[in-house]
């Protein structure tokens, strides 16, 4: 039975945010990956278009989520369903770190506005 203990989770940092990965092929997952996101106060991540569906659940804090040009304020307990091909921007306009939980299928890629492709290691 694969169990990932908290101290064993792998941490990655990109664009000022921290991603703590728990479920990946390296940890025993066959189809899904999942991570905790830590979005610092004042951060606005670059817009990116995702290749796979993501389920974004806000554990703590408050964020502005822009999905395909529509911006919504979300608070702890809210879940955003991000479909493949959608363009997403995450912004933390508050003075404290927000924490999220994201689940997607293995193989997720993101494309930035300048065309740069990112295959996040926590999703592959």
């Amino acid at each position: 039975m694969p169990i990932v203990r908290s101290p064993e989770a792998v941490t990655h940092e990109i664009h000022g945010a921290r991603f703590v990965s728990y479920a990946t092929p390296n940890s025993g997952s066959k189809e899904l990956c999942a991570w905790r996101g830590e979005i610092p106060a004042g951060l606005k991540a670059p817009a990116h278009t995702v290749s796979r569906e993501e389920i974004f659940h806000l554990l703590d804090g408050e964020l502005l989520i822009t999905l395909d040009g529509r911006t919504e304020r979300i608070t702890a307990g809210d879940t955003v369903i991000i479909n493949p091909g959608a363009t997403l921007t995450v912004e933390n306009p508050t003075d404290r770190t927000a924490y999220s939980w994201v689940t997607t299928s293995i193989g997720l890629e993101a494309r930035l506005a300048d065309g740069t492709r990112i295959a996040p290691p926590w999703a592959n």
Side-chain angles (χ1 to χ4, degrees), residues 8-112:
E8 299 166 346
V10 179
T11 300
H12 306 275
E13 294 191 25
I14 186 170
H15 300 293
R18 177 176 291 158
F19 303 86
V20 184
S21 62
Y22 291 89
T24 68
N26 288 337
S27 66
S29 182
K30 302 293 184 206
E31 296 181 16
L32 300 174
C33 50
W35 62 87
R36 185 182 72 235
E38 300 174 7
I39 303 100
L43 179 75
K44 183 173 183 178
H48 57 285
T49 302
V50 297
S51 64
R52 310 240 177 174
E53 183 175 63
E54 284 186 1
I55 306 301
F56 183 104
H57 180 76
L58 192 59
L59 298 168
D60 186 39
E62 186 175 320
L63 295 171
L64 293 176
I65 300 286
T66 302
L67 190 59
D68 290 335
R70 181 177 172 200
T71 302
E72 294 280 343
R73 182 174 300 273
I74 65 168
T75 59
D78 292 345
T79 299
V80 180
I81 299 168
I82 305 154
N83 290 308
T87 299
L88 169 72
T89 303
V90 177
E91 180 178 0
N92 182 348
T94 73
D95 60 358
R96 62 186 206 126
T97 299
Y99 297 89
S100 64
W101 184 262
V102 178
T103 303
T104 188
S105 55
I106 292 169
L108 171 83
E109 289 186 351
R111 185 174 31 87
L112 301 178

